[in-house]
Amino acid sequence: MAGPDSSAAALNRSAALASIAVAVLLLGMKAWAAWSTGSTAMLGSLADTGLDLIASIATLAGVWVAAQPDDHHHRFGHGKAEAIAAMFQVVLISISALGLAARALQQLIAGGRTEAAQDGIIVSAIAMGATLALLAWQRHVIRRTNSLAISTDHVHYQSDLLLNLAVIAALSLDQWLGFSGADPLFGLAIAGWLAWGAWGASQEAIEQLMDREWPEEKKHRFIEVLARHPELRGVHDLRTRTAGNRDFVQFHVWVDGNMTVAAAHDVMDQIEAKILAEFPGIEILIHPDPEGHVDKGLAARPELTAQDIVEAG
């Protein structure tokens, strides 16, 4: 019987394959439109779609590797493959933005007009429809799996909606309203938007690669779960991180110093069960200590005290 991890992996693969299918469709259409219109904005849209295809393939590879079970060389799993795939996308988006900006500046200096605006507008409208359908499916997958690679891909395709609108506006202004500088100016705007998106998408990937702690509200909810167990006398040295869609947590707990090893083990099992009920799939490491004991080199300030547990109960 397939478990939650295999279900999440299948959803992530489906989103990555959908991205590839949409990118292949739009790549052919936009190549024809860029050739027929001579538009820098459409060329930028074409370049972005080409990178979408490469990035989607990288996303598929990332979610496939991340879904692989733990092995002898990767005891914590392969979740960071998603962050690596996301960073690969960021690099591609950045290259696309630089190339497009250079092309737009060249056209702005040299002048030139676009042609066959209606062809580019029709292609852009079809692209928006396909992108909206893809984004809807990606949102569904992200809600179910919290995949970083799919989230980064989602951000990129969100920018495609504005990009296609910009192409429509540029062609309309250039051909029908006589504003000859519209196309390269919109091309520059698209390049800036891509660069901004690359910067934003890189932040979460870097945080995962650097093992950043969970957000405060998530840590607070975790501590609230711990506070429900009356056998605990305190919690300290709480450490958290996330890799792909998998969470890791480790912490020290204070228990009655007279408790036997077997009794302490039973308490740890009960705590793990309560945590897993609230945080399914989380990887947990608990170190029991006699009440008041803090190992040398660890934080002395507890995240949860006996008084907190009494008040929570």
Side-chain angles (χ1 to χ4, degrees), residues 167-197:
V167 171
I168 292 172
L171 290 171
S172 300
L173 288 170
D174 184 273
Q175 291 244 314
W176 296 323
L177 296 180
F179 182 18
S180 61
D183 185 57
L185 287 175
F186 270 94
L188 282 172
I190 292 170
W193 173 264
L194 289 173
W196 178 253

Side-chain angles (χ1 to χ4, degrees), residues 229 231-235 252-260 263-265 267-268 271 286-293:
H229 204 293
E231 297 290 345
L232 295 187
R233 304 295 177 84
V235 175
H252 290 228
V253 297
W254 286 333
V255 295
D256 184 348
N258 296 316
M259 186 178 290
T260 65
H265 184 271
V267 170
M268 299 308 107
I271 294 171
I286 308 176
H287 180 89
D289 288 322
E291 184 176 1
H293 174 80

Side-chain angles (χ1 to χ4, degrees), residues 203-236:
Q203 300 309 297
E204 188 174 357
I206 291 172
E207 287 182 358
Q208 284 204 13
L209 291 171
M210 295 296 293
D211 289 334
R212 184 179 176 88
E213 287 283 309
W214 290 351
E216 285 302 316
E217 60 273 14
K218 186 173 180 179
K219 289 180 67 175
H220 181 70
R221 186 162 62 91
F222 183 85
I223 291 173
E224 285 180 340
V225 174
L226 295 180
R228 298 172 193 164
H229 204 293
E231 297 290 345
L232 295 187
R233 304 295 177 84
V235 175
H236 65 101

Side-chain angles (χ1 to χ4, degrees), residues 115 216 237 297:
E115 300 176 358
E216 285 302 316
D237 198 42

